DNA sequence: AACGTGACAAGGC
DNA sequence: AGCCTTGCCACGT
């Protein structure tokens, strides 16, 4: 279990863990959208849960939460919060260029290895 | 067990 | 090029 809820560890492999298990696979210098994460976690259409899961990540993990952005190529955290600037800073350290507040997804979107199971 | 919430996404204007 | 509305549904209370 990767995250916990204040005091108690939440379930076993719930949706959150499935989501986080995908997030940890995002490589350096790449980003993924919430919807993309949800889909890869087997929760297509549940982009909100992806964001919700990330919201519950405790500090001190090795989860590259900063590599997850929304479909507009923007950081979803409120600009007034530290997290926003932290995320932007971390992304820029990974050589990801911002056009204003946006990231060009056509350049930086993570293309996960497509699992071909045909035999 | 019902209800409101939410680091989203897509469409309409 | 934005803002608003609607759909989505697991979580927490």
């Amino acid at each position: 279990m990767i995250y916990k809820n204040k005091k108690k560890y939440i379930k076993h492999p719930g949706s959150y863990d499935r989501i986080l298990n995908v997030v940890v696979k995002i490589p350096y210098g790449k980003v993924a959208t919430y919807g993309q994460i949800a889909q890869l976690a087997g929760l297509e259409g549940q982009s909100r849960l992806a964001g919700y899961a990330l919201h519950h990540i405790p500090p001190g993990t090795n989860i590259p939460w900063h590599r997850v952005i929304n479909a507009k190529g923007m950081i979803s955290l409120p600009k007034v919060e530290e997290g926003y600037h932290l995320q932007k800073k971390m992304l820029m350290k990974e050589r990801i260029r911002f056009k204003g507040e946006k990231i060009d997804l056509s350049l930086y979107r993570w293309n996960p290895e497509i699992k071909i199971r045909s035999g």
Side-chain angles (χ1 to χ4, degrees):
Chain A
M1 33 217 108
I2 303 175
Y3 64 92
K4 58 180 177 179
N5 174 20
K6 293 184 179 178
K7 295 170 186 175
K8 292 181 184 173
Y9 277 94
I10 305 178
K11 297 184 186 178
H12 266 208
S15 302
Y16 286 10
D17 276 331
R18 300 179 63 178
I19 288 165
L20 297 180
N21 281 332
V22 174
V23 174
V24 298
K25 293 176 185 168
I26 307 173
Y28 178 97
K30 291 291 180 181
V31 297
T33 65
Y34 297 95
Q36 189 179 352
I37 295 300
Q39 182 178 38
L40 293 170
L43 298 164
E44 188 170 4
Q46 308 250 43
S47 49
R48 313 196 64 167
L49 285 200
Y52 206 35
L54 293 185
H55 184 68
H56 287 272
I57 293 179
T61 64
N62 57 342
I63 300 173
W65 57 271
H66 59 281
R67 295 179 189 147
V68 186
I69 61 178
N70 64 33
K72 289 174 286 197
M74 300 178 72
I75 292 171
S76 275
L77 291 162
K79 226 173 176 177
V80 296
E81 294 192 14
E82 288 183 38
Y84 179 91
H85 301 286
L86 176 61
Q87 181 169 12
K88 187 170 183 178
K89 200 180 299 180
M90 293 178 80
L91 289 173
M92 289 173 71
K93 274 184 191 169
E94 300 194 0
R95 310 301 172 205
I96 291 174
R97 302 276 312 279
F98 277 78
K99 295 181 178 180
E101 303 300 316
K102 290 186 188 173
I103 292 173
D104 188 339
L105 284 173
S106 67
L107 294 178
Y108 301 107
R109 186 197 282 269
W110 172 42
N111 295 311
E113 299 173 18
I114 301 170
K115 294 190 177 182
I116 304 170
R117 49 168 137 64
S118 57

